[in-house]
């Protein structure tokens, strides 16, 4: 291995044997050998899972290389083979120099030892004498900045305190190779800033960095080159900015596929639930005021509440052509059709929706009463929905229309029908509210129109 190459990974593979049942492990230990003795082809009682498959790359002295990929892509397994914690199934790994690694939080610490004792333990594992650790101890304690906790057992530490101490030990001993696996995500923002400053100093002093993170900007700015792992294989290798771009492209493809499947499944479930609800409601006798409508036992109705004089039967998302659709792009017309049934003769109704993204953030809420209030403010002579008379047993639709200005995400629609004593939301009574009434997905054609965030503010540039 060349003197300037400190890490060399050659066609490395890691295969795990996955057993369906515990007894299959015993069978695998005994039976294949007997089958060979008897002249029969041996049978395996496990399935192979290749966590890392045919990965090769080199890291030169003083270079910073990032490793990026989704959960389960093999990043941690690869690092554990480089540090020697795991042995590869095939292939080879060569390293030169002292390696300091921050892998699983707390790894290398004895939980019953104090922080001070663990500093000396870790230093010894890295090949330092007690005198050498004595000389560095004040710098380690100062960087960790955990005060009196330094003399308390590590098992009493919070995850942030444990990270502080572990990182302080690894960087103050000035390793030849520093390997970090997502550990910095635990720290607070100020400590992360100090960590990155220290990493940059180590890099300028010639330390080699192998850095795993889901933070794309950290990979792009902190490293020169990057490896993109996908399902254990190396999907891209090169300049960090180009690899991160490829990772983003793959994320977009994966998320689009995943959310399309989710939206379709949820739409199918919602359609089935609406059929059940419709059968129950339409077949029921007409009710007097206050009796309420019978609620079906589907999941949709378990997520609903209300007084019951009116009910939402279903909510559908439609395209501009009026056909059912669950995938939209910025600029598309989204129509949300709310089908309701009243159990009594009434007016003063308001049909509304709330839109939330998959993180649970409320993006928008609106109802027919919002439009009615605007019409009244303009002294318009147009009819308002609030004055519309609904008759007992009547099924009616309300269609809400908007132009899509939402960011890429999966969205939930919550629906409601309420009785509004006054046309201003000051005296509202919920007749029926339903969560997870419908779902839709927003994607983006990046080559045609692109923005970041939860909503398009339609910003313009002038010069």
């Amino acid at each position: 291995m060349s003197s300037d190459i400190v890490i060399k990974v050659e066609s490395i593979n890691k295969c795990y044997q996955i057993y369906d049942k515990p007894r299959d492990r015993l069978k695998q230990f005994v039976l294949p050998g007997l089958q060979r003795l008897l002249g029969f082809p041996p049978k395996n009682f496990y399935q192979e899972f290749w966590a890392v498959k045919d990965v090769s790359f080199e890291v030169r002295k003083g270079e910073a290389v990032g490793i990026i990929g989704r959960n389960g892509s093999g990043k941690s397994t690869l690092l554990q083979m480089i540090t020697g914690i795991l042995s590869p199934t095939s292939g080879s790994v060569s390293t030169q120099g002292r390696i300091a690694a921050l892998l699983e939080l707390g790894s290398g610490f004895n939980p019953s030892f104090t922080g001070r004792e663990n500093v000396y333990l870790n230093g010894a594992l890295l090949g330092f004498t007690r005198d050498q650790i004595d000389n560095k101890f004040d710098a380690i304690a100062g960087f960790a900045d955990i005060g009196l906790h330094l003399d308390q057992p590590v098992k009493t530490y919070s995850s942030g305190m444990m990270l502080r101490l572990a990182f302080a030990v690894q960087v103050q001993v000035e390793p030849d190779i520093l390997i970090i696996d997502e550990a910095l995500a635990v720290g607070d923002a100020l400590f992360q800033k100090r960590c990155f400053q220290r990493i940059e100093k180590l890099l300028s002093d010639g330390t080699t960095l192998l850095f795993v993170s889901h933070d794309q900007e950290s990979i792009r700015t902190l490293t020169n080159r990057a490896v993109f792992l996908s399902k254990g294989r190396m999907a891209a290798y090169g300049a960090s900015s180009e690899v991160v771009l490829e990772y983003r492209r793959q994320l977009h493809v994966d998320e689009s596929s995943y959310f399309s499947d989710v939206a379709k499944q949820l739409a199918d479930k919602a359609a089935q639930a609406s059929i059940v609800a419709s059968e129950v409601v339409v077949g029921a006798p007409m009710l007097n005021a206050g009796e309420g409508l019978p609620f079906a036992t589907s999941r949709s109705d378990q997520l609903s509440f209300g007084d019951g004089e009116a009910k939402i039967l279903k909510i559908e998302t439609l395209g501009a052509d009026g056909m059912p659709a669950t995938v939209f792009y910025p600029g598309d017309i989204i129509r949300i059709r709310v089908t309701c049934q009243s159990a009594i003769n009434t007016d003063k109704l308001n049909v509304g929706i709330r839109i939330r993204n998959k993180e649970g953030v409320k993006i928008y809420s609106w109802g027919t009463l919002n439009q009615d209030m605007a019409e009244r403010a303009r002294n318009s002579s147009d009819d308002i929905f609030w004055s519309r008379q609904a008759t007992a047993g009547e099924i009616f639709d309300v269609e809400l229309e908007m132009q899509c200005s939402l960011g890429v995400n999966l969205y939930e629609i919550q629906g409601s029908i309420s009785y509004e004593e006054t046309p201003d939301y000051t005296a509202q009574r919920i007749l029926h509210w339903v969560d997870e009434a419908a779902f839709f997905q927003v994607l983006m054609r990046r080559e045609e129109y692109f923005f970041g965030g939860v909503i398009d503010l339609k910003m313009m540039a002038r010069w």
Side-chain angles (χ1 to χ4, degrees):
M1 188 166 67
S2 173
S3 60
D4 66 334
I5 296 176
V6 294
I7 301 175
K8 187 172 184 179
V9 177
E10 294 183 282
S11 301
I12 197 170
N13 298 275
K14 183 61 179 179
C15 180
Y16 289 99
Q17 296 176 353
I18 308 298
Y19 295 90
D20 293 333
K21 302 171 185 176
R23 63 174 175 267
D24 289 343
R25 191 180 298 272
L26 179 60
K27 290 179 181 178
Q28 181 63 34
F29 182 74
V30 176
L31 294 181
L34 293 175
Q35 290 167 338
R36 289 190 189 96
L37 287 174
L38 296 173
F40 296 106
K43 175 185 177 182
N44 290 329
F45 296 88
Y46 60 83
Q47 297 177 4
E48 291 184 345
F49 171 70
W50 292 88
V52 175
K53 186 72 173 176
D54 195 27
V55 173
S56 301
F57 64 93
E58 296 178 347
V59 182
R60 298 183 179 276
K61 181 177 175 60
E63 192 175 21
V65 174
I67 301 178
I68 197 167
R70 296 185 61 185
N71 290 333
S73 61
K75 304 186 300 296
S76 297
T77 302
L78 176 61
L79 291 192
Q80 288 173 353
M81 288 190 287
I82 292 173
T83 56
I85 296 173
L86 291 176
S87 297
T89 303
S90 62
S92 64
V93 177
S94 304
T95 60
Q96 290 186 10
R98 181 187 295 116
I99 298 177
L102 277 172
L103 301 179
E104 294 181 9
L105 194 60
S107 59
F109 280 174
N110 186 319
S112 298
F113 285 8
T114 66
R116 184 184 301 272
E117 291 168 336
N118 271 294
V119 168
Y120 283 90
L121 173 63
N122 272 255
L125 292 173
L126 289 168
F128 288 90
T129 66
R130 188 174 183 85
D131 288 341
Q132 289 174 318
I133 302 172
D134 285 339
N135 293 333
K136 296 177 179 292
F137 186 83
D138 288 343
I140 292 171
F143 194 95
D145 192 23
I146 59 175
L148 298 176
H149 294 284
L150 192 61
D151 291 305
Q152 298 299 315
V154 166
K155 63 186 177 184
T156 65
Y157 286 14
S158 68
S159 58
M161 291 165 59
M162 197 175 296
L163 167 65
R164 284 172 175 269
L165 186 61
F167 188 85
V169 173
Q170 304 296 344
V171 299
Q172 292 298 332
V173 299
E174 299 176 354
D176 299 307
I177 302 171
L178 177 61
I179 297 177
I180 300 177
D181 183 10
E182 284 291 350
L184 299 186
V186 178
D188 58 68
L190 181 58
F191 184 71
Q192 286 183 8
K193 179 181 178 182
R194 292 173 59 196
C195 290
F196 287 128
Q197 288 175 339
R198 182 62 184 175
I199 290 171
E200 288 175 351
K201 183 180 184 305
L202 288 172
L203 289 173
S204 65
D205 292 341
T207 297
T208 301
L209 175 67
L210 207 54
F211 183 60
V212 169
S213 178
H214 286 292
D215 185 348
Q216 300 169 30
E217 289 306 307
S218 295
I219 292 287
R220 187 177 64 82
T221 57
L222 194 62
T223 65
N224 326 91
R225 291 188 296 147
V227 175
F228 169 28
L229 290 181
S230 177
K231 298 179 180 178
R233 295 181 178 272
M234 194 157 65
Y237 180 50
S240 296
S241 57
E242 296 176 2
V243 173
V244 167
L245 180 60
E246 181 59 31
Y247 175 59
R248 286 175 175 165
R249 287 182 183 138
Q250 189 60 49
L251 276 182
H252 176 70
V253 171
D254 292 346
E255 287 183 351
S256 297
S257 175
Y258 172 74
F259 287 138
S260 293
D261 290 343
V262 170
K264 184 178 184 303
Q265 292 170 11
L266 293 172
D268 290 344
K269 289 181 180 178
Q272 293 172 3
S274 67
I275 292 171
V276 173
S278 298
E279 290 174 350
V280 172
V281 173
V282 173
M286 292 300 103
L287 305 172
N288 297 321
E291 286 184 17
L293 290 167
F295 279 63
T297 58
S298 67
R299 170 168 169 78
S300 178
D301 283 319
Q302 291 170 5
L303 296 173
S304 65
F305 64 89
D307 292 347
E309 286 94 338
K311 182 176 176 67
I312 294 175
L313 300 183
K314 64 179 177 179
I315 295 182
E316 306 168 274
T317 53
L318 314 171
D321 58 0
M323 299 301 292
T326 57
V327 178
F328 301 92
Y329 295 84
D332 286 355
I333 296 298
I334 301 178
R335 293 177 178 171
I336 300 173
R337 180 183 294 159
V338 185
T339 303
C340 309
Q341 184 178 34
S342 178
I344 60 173
N345 297 320
T346 187
D347 57 359
K348 301 181 180 179
L349 294 177
N350 171 40
V351 175
I353 55 99
R354 176 189 288 177
I355 297 175
R356 299 197 307 178
N357 62 16
K358 71 175 186 293
E359 291 80 17
V361 177
K362 174 185 173 182
I363 303 298
Y364 187 68
S365 60
W366 197 85
T368 55
L369 188 62
N370 297 70
Q371 182 169 296
D372 292 345
M373 291 167 66
E375 294 290 338
R376 286 167 55 85
R378 292 194 296 267
N379 293 318
S380 172
S381 59
D382 293 343
D383 292 337
I384 59 175
F385 187 81
W386 185 75
S387 300
R388 180 187 181 280
Q389 292 289 328
T391 59
E394 178 188 1
I395 296 176
F396 58 92
D397 293 333
V398 173
E399 199 166 284
L400 311 175
E401 183 177 301
M402 65 177 181
Q403 186 177 46
C404 180
S405 58
L406 299 170
V408 173
N409 214 320
L410 177 70
Y411 295 91
E412 169 199 353
I413 300 176
Q414 301 169 319
S416 69
I417 182 168
S418 58
Y419 180 82
E420 308 286 344
E421 182 64 36
T422 56
D424 52 15
Y425 281 112
T426 60
Q428 182 182 77
R429 183 162 59 89
I430 298 295
L431 304 181
H432 191 202
W433 175 286
V434 58
D435 284 352
E436 299 185 8
F439 296 84
F440 67 93
Q441 180 191 5
V442 175
L443 302 179
M444 200 164 308
R445 298 184 178 95
R446 298 174 66 94
E447 299 79 10
E448 300 176 15
Y449 187 75
F450 176 75
F451 65 90
V454 297
I455 195 165
D456 184 8
L457 297 180
K458 302 188 185 303
M459 194 169 286
M460 299 291 293
R462 295 184 177 89
W463 57 89

